[in-house]
């Protein structure tokens, strides 16, 4: 027997939460669309939920329509993800159990797809890549999503085109070129897309990058980021100028020596950008914003920006011009705002690295040694940041900054819309998708926002009560936007993984108005609505249940 009985993770916690809390349903704006599960925030009680949200229906049991979820990857095992699901009455099943019965929600890493061509029609389709290990085989079956009311937390090709820095950069450049050709002059187009620092793809644009370095001032800095890197790992900084040529040539040679035995290509591709050298400082330290963005649809494109987010600060002061020695030592804590870097900071006067002897200015400034939890404040909440902007620059400046940030997010997602919309039409699954993105935004001293990167699997790790509150609120509101709906399951197949008599029964008659019955699933009753009608009512339902977005 399996994890409907909560045998995978958090056994005691899951049983206590699932047994103690009710399931809430939010009726749809159209009778052909069934109710959606409602996810209270962690601070809510039964009384406050019903008082704060009109129209909710509270049920004790849904029988075989009991809400289920599955987490496919150990890298997604976050309390901030699991607890909102458990509080809403969801029960967890394992990936292997999904063969017997479909869960409402599947959460994991991005799906690896491969493109195939139909031998007769010539149509190009996307299939989930063939698994190469037993674990991938189990996940492969789960990700097929044979049921129309299942949802997965990544859109097809999302990581390749948004989470990968090279893919995102190429999509933004492609949109710039298209707009310039269709509507605007080059100057006007550049003005609309100047939220991205000038970018090169290495080694693809090596010659252009060398040309740039040679004509640049020796004081001008460039930041190198692995195209598929995360948590600040592998980031390098170099200066331009002919005088520095031996330095950046040595870095290029080192990158190119690490090649694949199969393709002969470098194992790591890099995105190189002009370094933003006049950042907005908080308490004298560099900062950036981690903003949480939910996309529920790409056609039409529907984007939600959450009201909560994180303001991340570097561990040390940004003041002063660092040299080669400085970059090797404390500058990793001055240049990078990643919490995974800052929490390793040791506030000591003597902090050296053995390799500093004979160092150059082309050094890896991330991957610092392990250290104790810092005694410096590394995170603010957004309201505190907004107060700072208002106090120092005025309310009008804050309003403009928030508008500019929204434009950065919209234009970034517009750049990826064509590819992902096309992929959705070519994926063989009846399930659907929703995705949480972590947008990292840097702001300069003039309050101009710049896009740093977009994370398709933003960390939900909670390092403090503030972190926990923010991230559980984000998850709860994301799940409400996902519009997960109850559907009746085959009791015989459900019985293969479950012994709970409250689950192994037909949904109570009083609940059937909110549940897609097996008969309605077979007749696909929801298809009586046109795509346009479905989109309109779905959007209305999302707005009716959204909180904090």
């Amino acid at each position: 027997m399996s994890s409907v009985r909560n045998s995978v993770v958090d056994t005691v916690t899951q049983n206590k939460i699932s047994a103690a809390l009710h399931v809430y349903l939010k009726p749809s704006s159209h009778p052909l669309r069934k109710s959606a599960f409602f996810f209270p925030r962690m601070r809510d009680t039964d009384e406050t939920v019903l008082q704060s949200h009109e129209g909710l229906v509270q049920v004790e049991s849904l029988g075989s329509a009991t809400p289920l979820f599955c987490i496919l990857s150990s890298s997604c095992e976050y309390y901030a993800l699991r607890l909102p699901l458990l509080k809403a009455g969801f029960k967890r099943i394992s990936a292997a159990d999904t063969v017997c019965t479909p869960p409402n929600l599947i959460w994991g890493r991005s799906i690896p797809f491969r493109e195939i061509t139909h031998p007769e029609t010539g149509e190009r389709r996307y299939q989930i890549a063939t698994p190469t290990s037993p674990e991938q085989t189990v996940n492969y079956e789960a990700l097929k999503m044979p049921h129309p009311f299942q949802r997965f937390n990544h859109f097809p090709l999302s990581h390749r085109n948004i989470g990968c820095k090279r893919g995102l950069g190429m999509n933004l450049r492609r949109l710039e070129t298209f707009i310039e050709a269709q509507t605007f002059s080059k100057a006007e187009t550049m003005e609309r897309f100047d939220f991205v620092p000038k970018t090169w793809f290495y080694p693809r644009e090596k010659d252009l990058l060398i040309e740039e370095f040679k004509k640049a001032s020796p004081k001008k800095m460039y930041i190198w980021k692995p195209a598929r890197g995360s948590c600040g790992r592998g980031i390098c900084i170099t200066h331009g100028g002919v005088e520095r040529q031996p330095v950046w040539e040595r870095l290029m040679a080192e990158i190119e020596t690490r090649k694949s035995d199969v393709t002969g290509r470098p194992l790591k591709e890099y995105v190189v950008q002009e370094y933003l050298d006049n950042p907005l400082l908080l308490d004298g330290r560099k900062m950036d914003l981690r903003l949480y963005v939910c996309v529920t649809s790409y056609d039409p494109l529907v984007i939600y920006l959450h009201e909560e987010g994180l303001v991340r600060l570097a561990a040390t002061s940004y003041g002063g011009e660092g040299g080669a020695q400085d970059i090797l030592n404390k500058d990793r804590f001055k240049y990078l705002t990643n919490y995974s870097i800052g929490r390793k900071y040791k506030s000591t006067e003597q902090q050296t690295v053995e390799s500093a002897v004979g160092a150059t200015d082309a050094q890896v400034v991330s991957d610092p040694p392990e250290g104790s939890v810092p005694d410096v404040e590394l995170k603010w909440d957004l309201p505190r940041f907004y107060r700072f902007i208002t106090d120092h620059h005025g309310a009008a400046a804050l309003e403009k900054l928030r508008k500019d940030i929204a434009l950065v997010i919209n234009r970034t997602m517009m750049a990826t819309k064509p590819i992902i919309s096309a992929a959705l039409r070519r994926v063989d699954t009846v399930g659907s998708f929703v995705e949480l993105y972590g947008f990292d935004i840097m702001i300069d001293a003039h309050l101009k926002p710049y896009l740093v990167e977009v994370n398709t699997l933003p960390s939900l790790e909670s390092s403090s009560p503030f972190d926990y509150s923010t991230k559980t609120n984000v998850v709860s509101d994301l799940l409400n936007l996902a519009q997960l709906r109850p559907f009746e399951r085959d009791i015989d197949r459900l019985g293969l993984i479950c012994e709970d008599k409250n689950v192994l029964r037909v949904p109570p008659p009083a609940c059937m108005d909110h549940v897609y019955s097996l008969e309605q699933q077979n007749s696909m009753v929801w298809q009586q609505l046109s795509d346009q009608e479905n989109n309109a009512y779905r959007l209305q339902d999302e707005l009716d249940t959204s909180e904090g977005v």
Side-chain angles (χ1 to χ4, degrees):
M1 293 300 164
S2 183
S3 50
V4 165
R5 297 178 300 164
N6 307 316
S7 61
V8 177
V9 178
D10 297 345
T11 304
V12 176
T13 302
Q14 289 197 51
N15 282 328
K16 285 182 178 179
I17 291 179
S18 295
L21 297 173
H22 300 287
V23 173
Y24 297 97
L25 297 171
K26 177 74 173 178
S28 173
S29 55
H30 193 280
L32 288 180
R33 291 173 58 86
K34 298 293 186 176
S35 300
F37 292 105
F38 182 80
F39 295 83
R41 291 187 169 186
M42 295 307 295
R43 65 173 181 265
D44 289 335
T45 64
D46 286 343
E47 182 179 354
T48 60
V49 170
L50 294 173
Q51 288 176 349
S52 304
H53 303 278
E54 294 182 2
L56 291 184
V57 177
Q58 188 181 49
V59 297
E60 297 292 337
S61 172
L62 286 170
S64 65
T66 293
L68 306 177
F69 74 98
C70 174
I71 297 177
L72 299 182
S73 172
S74 59
S75 62
C76 300
E77 291 287 357
Y78 297 114
Y79 281 109
L81 170 63
R82 297 195 301 269
L83 294 186
L85 284 159
L86 297 170
K87 182 180 176 70
F90 276 60
K91 294 179 181 290
R92 181 172 180 174
I93 66 174
S94 71
D97 292 340
T98 63
V99 177
C100 301
T101 194
N104 301 74
L105 177 70
I106 301 173
W107 195 282
R109 303 185 69 84
S110 296
I111 304 176
F113 283 100
R114 64 188 181 95
E115 191 173 33
I116 62 168
T117 302
H118 193 280
E120 297 179 1
T121 65
E123 182 185 15
R124 296 164 65 190
R125 305 286 297 174
Y126 284 110
Q127 286 187 347
I128 302 173
T130 304
T132 57
S133 69
E135 180 182 8
Q136 289 181 5
T137 300
V138 173
N139 291 350
Y140 176 82
E141 295 300 324
L143 291 171
K144 287 182 177 179
M145 290 198 297
H147 198 282
F149 300 117
Q150 291 183 273
R151 297 204 86 166
F152 181 60
N153 68 306
H154 293 291
F155 283 91
L157 308 190
S158 174
H159 178 70
R160 185 187 307 176
N161 288 282
I162 303 175
C164 171
K165 299 176 187 64
R166 180 180 60 82
L168 177 60
M170 293 183 68
N171 284 323
L172 287 166
R173 187 182 291 180
R174 191 177 296 118
L175 181 59
E176 286 184 60
T177 303
F178 173 80
I179 291 178
E180 181 183 341
Q182 298 295 320
T183 310
F184 304 106
S185 67
K186 185 175 182 63
E188 291 174 317
T189 302
M190 290 180 64
E191 182 179 350
R192 284 165 173 77
F193 287 89
D194 63 355
F195 60 86
V196 180
K198 192 173 181 180
T199 302
W200 298 265
F201 307 119
Y202 188 85
R204 178 178 303 188
E205 297 179 335
K206 178 179 178 178
D207 292 341
L208 292 175
L209 187 60
I210 290 176
E211 182 180 344
E212 167 70 19
F213 282 174
K214 287 182 177 180
K215 68 181 182 182
S217 163
K219 292 185 177 181
K220 189 169 184 178
M221 298 172 66
Y222 300 83
I223 186 164
W224 297 62
K225 305 174 187 177
R228 293 181 178 269
S230 62
C231 299
R233 289 186 288 264
I235 295 177
C236 306
I237 290 178
T238 60
H239 286 76
V242 176
E243 302 91 330
R244 309 280 188 165
Q245 186 167 345
V247 175
W248 39 261
E249 283 185 343
R250 189 156 53 246
L251 176 59
M252 292 176 178
E254 181 181 348
I255 293 173
E256 292 175 12
T257 56
R258 304 172 187 171
K259 295 183 178 180
S260 168
D261 294 334
V262 178
T263 65
R265 298 176 181 173
L267 290 174
K268 278 190 177 181
E269 294 183 321
Y270 277 76
V271 170
V272 185
Q273 294 181 318
E274 291 181 341
Y275 187 79
L276 182 65
D277 59 2
N278 64 333
L280 177 69
L281 303 181
L282 301 182
D283 292 340
R285 291 180 286 157
K286 189 177 174 183
M287 55 74 66
D288 72 0
L289 303 179
R290 162 58 60 86
L291 301 177
Y292 296 100
V293 172
C294 174
V295 173
T296 58
S297 167
Y298 270 90
D299 193 12
L301 181 60
V302 181
I303 308 168
Y304 296 89
L305 170 61
H306 203 275
E307 66 179 359
E308 298 186 53
L310 305 176
V311 183
R312 306 182 301 184
L313 284 77
T316 62
S317 172
Y318 190 76
E321 183 177 347
Q325 189 78 9
D326 196 27
I327 290 174
L328 268 174
N329 299 333
K330 290 190 179 181
D331 267 21
R332 67 196 71 191
F333 302 110
K334 148 178 154 176
Y335 287 120
L336 303 181
T337 58
N338 306 69
Y339 181 75
S340 55
I341 300 295
R343 66 183 177 182
K344 299 174 183 178
Y345 173 69
K346 292 182 179 180
S347 53
T348 60
E349 290 297 321
Q350 297 295 327
Q351 185 176 29
T352 59
V353 177
E354 290 182 2
S355 60
V357 177
T360 69
D361 70 335
Q363 302 293 344
V364 175
V365 298
S366 56
D367 304 334
E370 293 291 337
S372 58
V373 176
D375 55 3
V376 294
E377 188 177 26
L378 296 175
K379 294 179 184 177
W380 287 10
D381 60 28
L382 274 182
R384 181 179 173 185
F385 173 69
Y386 293 154
R387 290 194 300 271
F388 174 90
I389 297 298
T390 301
D391 292 344
H392 290 79
H393 301 275
L398 174 61
E399 182 179 356
K400 183 179 185 303
L401 173 62
R402 296 183 69 171
K403 179 181 177 181
D404 290 345
I405 288 173
L407 285 173
V408 168
I409 293 170
N410 284 337
R411 287 168 178 168
T412 300
M413 300 312 300
M414 285 298 297
T416 61
K417 179 186 184 299
I419 291 178
I420 297 180
S421 294
L424 284 166
R425 295 190 293 268
R426 294 157 55 191
V427 171
D428 295 320
T429 178
V430 296
S432 57
F433 308 88
V434 64
E435 191 152 14
L436 176 67
Y437 298 108
F439 269 72
D440 292 345
I441 303 289
M442 189 171 292
I443 301 168
D444 71 12
H446 304 292
L447 301 188
K448 178 177 176 56
Y450 289 86
L451 178 67
V452 177
E453 64 182 11
V454 182
N455 293 268
T456 53
L457 196 65
S459 172
L460 297 175
E461 180 183 359
S462 301
S463 59
S464 67
F466 155 59
D467 243 8
Y468 173 79
S469 174
T470 298
K471 292 174 181 177
T472 54
N473 287 346
V474 168
V475 169
S476 294
D477 295 340
L478 165 81
L479 295 173
N480 281 325
L481 291 173
Q483 294 289 296
L484 302 173
R485 303 185 184 279
F487 56 88
E488 185 181 4
R489 296 176 177 84
D490 183 282
I491 294 177
D492 291 336
R493 294 190 63 81
L494 193 56
L496 297 174
I497 65 168
C498 175
E499 294 177 344
D500 189 337
K501 294 181 179 179
N502 289 322
V503 175
L504 297 176
R505 64 187 181 97
V506 174
C511 297
M512 289 309 297
D513 285 344
H514 305 283
V515 175
Y516 284 105
S517 67
L518 290 173
E519 181 182 353
Q520 289 171 327
Q521 293 172 52
N522 290 332
S523 65
M524 296 187 289
V525 63
W526 59 90
Q527 291 194 353
Q528 295 179 30
L529 295 173
S530 66
D531 288 345
Q532 185 177 4
E533 289 173 322
N534 251 322
N535 286 332
Y537 289 119
R538 175 182 55 78
L539 182 58
Q540 183 61 57
D541 290 344
E542 290 174 3
L543 294 174
D544 287 346
T545 58
S546 63
E547 179 179 349
V549 292

